[in-house]
Amino acid sequence: MSVVFFNGPIQNGDFVFANRPGKAAGIRIAEALNSIARGPAVPHLWNTTTLAGDLRHRAATGQQQVDREALEAATILGKYPPGGLPAAGILTDTAPAVAALALDMVTRHLTHGTLTITPVTVRACARCGHMTGTGPYPCRNCGSTETRPRTERHLIADRDPARPVLSPNDFHAHHSRPPRHLLNIATNVPQRLILSRTRSHGIDLGPMGLPGLVLDPRAALHVTVLAAARDVHTDCAAMAATQSAAANVAAYGQHFRQHEGVQLRYAVHGRIPYEDTTTLHRLYEVHRVSPRARALFEDWYLPLCSLRERDQVRPERLPSLLKFLRRATLAAYTARDPARREEVRRAVKLGDTGWITNIDLLPHVIPSVLGEPDPLDGL
Ligand SMILES: [Zn+2]
């Protein structure tokens, strides 16, 4: 089985990577692992079916008509530093290829009866019609506090109670570290899930007989990964996701993790404490870390280290990780053994992460070291 890594689609919110490097963790993980495994360059995946995006679009529209796709794309591209656009481009959760695949999958599930179109009663905003959920909250679309029940047809997943939402097989590296907490969320998921949403942007379910409704973005992001996987001809797509992100989307992805021999698995990683800049900056000053060494540490090594953590890379471990990377980089000058590199490649495909902190293995896969100035020069 070939494995290609993808980032979990990032919400196209109000940030740029320079200020929120943690948002790029999944992208960095996928890049590092695909490069080691000699996999293809993959697009960066984005989630644009958001209510915030609806509001942003409405604000931008004003007098003149602003194309929503173009606005989303411009917002995404503005997040990258100059010259930092991905080689394989970006893919959004509303791209035509993703929408076509999603409708194909929904159609098959409707045929098999795993999904149905069923009238259900939902709570909706009395002013704008937005589905508001059951709590006593004001409408997030227009701010009105008046909601009323409304019965209408929706795309429904009625869960088979005998079938868990998640199994160990849904995780890359399932053999070594079964994420028990995530497996347990299965018990907290309601038996009936509504997979259609009121949004002004998304995968339009009109062709399924649900005009005005779009596929829930938590389902659509899985389809985005599958569509990207199909383009690079892999049978296993490992999607980088933090534990909480995976917990938020797993139930909605239950029917969207497998299609025509392609399997999506979660590659769970911990958070990276980029925001702990006091620790990091002091460290760089003390060790006089060069910009290249810093980039290798932050953009390559810390994302890899996050694969060994369930919750987060603890800030107090940063000094020892930096020291370890320095040792490994020095060793890389003499240790470039193809057999060891192959050993790491096998580990990456299996989801083993021991090599990341193994001084006998890591030096063999540190990028761009031979024949170049020491990236950790001055460390
Ligand atoms: Zn409203």
Side-chain angles (χ1 to χ4, degrees):
M1 181 181 276
S2 69
V3 182
V4 176
F5 295 86
F6 297 90
N7 71 288
I10 309 164
Q11 252 186 33
N12 190 15
D14 192 17
F15 69 91
V16 294
F17 283 130
N19 300 336
R20 299 285 302 278
K23 294 272 189 189
I27 286 172
R28 303 270 179 256
I29 289 169
E31 245 163 33
L33 295 180
N34 287 335
S35 162
I36 289 168
R38 278 192 296 222
V42 297
H44 296 179
L45 309 182
W46 287 89
N47 161 221
T48 64
T49 308
T50 65
L51 189 58
D54 286 357
L55 300 177
R56 189 170 52 208
H57 182 237
R58 214 175 300 152
T61 298
Q63 297 296 323
Q64 86 234 33
Q65 202 60 37
V66 179
D67 178 67
R68 175 65 180 269
E69 287 286 352
L71 180 66
E72 294 289 341
T75 310
I76 291 169
L77 296 181
K79 291 173 168 40
Y80 292 86
L85 294 181
I90 60 165
L91 183 70
T92 71
D93 58 350
T94 56
V98 178
L101 178 58
L103 293 186
D104 184 22
M105 293 180 79
V106 169
T107 303
R108 289 185 196 203
H109 282 304
L110 290 173
T111 308
H112 293 144
T114 36
L115 297 179
T116 58
I117 291 177
T118 307
V120 291
T121 302
V122 297
R123 250 325 323 131
C125 172
R127 192 199 293 168
C128 76
H130 179 69
M131 277 164 67
T132 54
T134 49
Y137 315 107
C139 168
R140 288 171 59 220
N141 189 43
C142 76
S144 164
T145 50
E146 201 186 326
T147 64
R148 56 172 70 122
R150 185 174 72 195
T151 302
E152 61 190 9
R153 295 180 346 131
H154 276 280
L155 182 64
I156 299 295
D158 278 315
R159 197 157 63 80
D160 173 1
R163 191 183 156 202
V165 166
L166 283 168
S167 75
N169 197 37
D170 290 314
F171 295 91
H172 192 53
H174 54 89
H175 57 284
S176 56
R177 302 192 316 151
R180 196 150 297 285
H181 163 73
L182 280 177
L183 296 179
N184 285 343
I185 67 163
T187 54
N188 297 322
V189 174
Q191 201 132 318
R192 167 167 279 190
L193 289 180
I194 302 178
L195 298 184
S196 39
R197 296 279 142 199
T198 48
R199 292 277 161 82
S200 50
H201 184 64
I203 296 174
D204 178 19
L205 293 175
M208 304 279 101
L210 298 172
L213 295 176
V214 303
L215 183 63
D216 189 295
R218 289 165 289 188
L221 69 85
H222 292 85
V223 184
T224 313
V225 176
L226 288 180
R230 197 170 55 172
D231 282 348
V232 296
H233 309 289
T234 183
D235 50 7
C236 178
M239 175 183 112
T242 62
Q243 192 163 248
S244 62
N248 283 336
V249 302
Y252 291 83
Q254 186 171 24
H255 301 294
F256 298 93
R257 288 194 287 262
Q258 199 169 18
H259 184 69
E260 290 185 339
V262 184
Q263 175 82 39
L264 185 160
R265 294 201 167 106
Y266 304 110
V268 177
H269 67 92
R271 285 192 316 103
I272 303 167
Y274 288 125
E275 70 283 359
D276 207 319
T277 46
T278 44
T279 310
L280 282 173
H281 283 171
R282 200 177 314 127
L283 204 61
Y284 298 144
E285 256 173 39
V286 167
H287 296 282
R288 284 186 290 167
V289 175
S290 72
R292 274 188 75 201
R294 183 177 163 175
L296 184 71
F297 182 60
E298 291 189 5
D299 299 345
W300 187 78
Y301 193 53
L302 286 183
L304 290 176
C305 289
S306 76
L307 286 164
R308 291 183 54 74
E309 306 293 338
R310 288 179 190 204
D311 184 28
Q312 68 156 344
V313 177
R314 282 179 290 117
E316 61 267 29
R317 287 201 58 221
L318 294 174
S320 61
L321 292 174
L322 186 62
K323 269 181 211 150
F324 183 81
L325 181 61
R326 183 195 180 212
R327 261 181 78 203
T329 307
L330 292 175
Y333 280 99
T334 49
R336 304 298 277 181
D337 180 353
R340 289 289 169 88
R341 218 173 297 162
E342 204 46 56
E343 195 178 330
V344 174
R345 281 191 189 118
R346 275 199 303 275
V348 166
K349 283 176 185 172
L350 291 170
D352 286 337
T353 56
W355 59 272
I356 293 165
T357 50
N358 183 332
I359 196 64
D360 293 324
L361 293 175
L362 185 70
H364 300 272
V365 294
I366 291 181
S368 308
V369 170
L370 272 191
E372 291 187 22
D374 185 0
L376 292 179
D377 213 17
L379 197 75

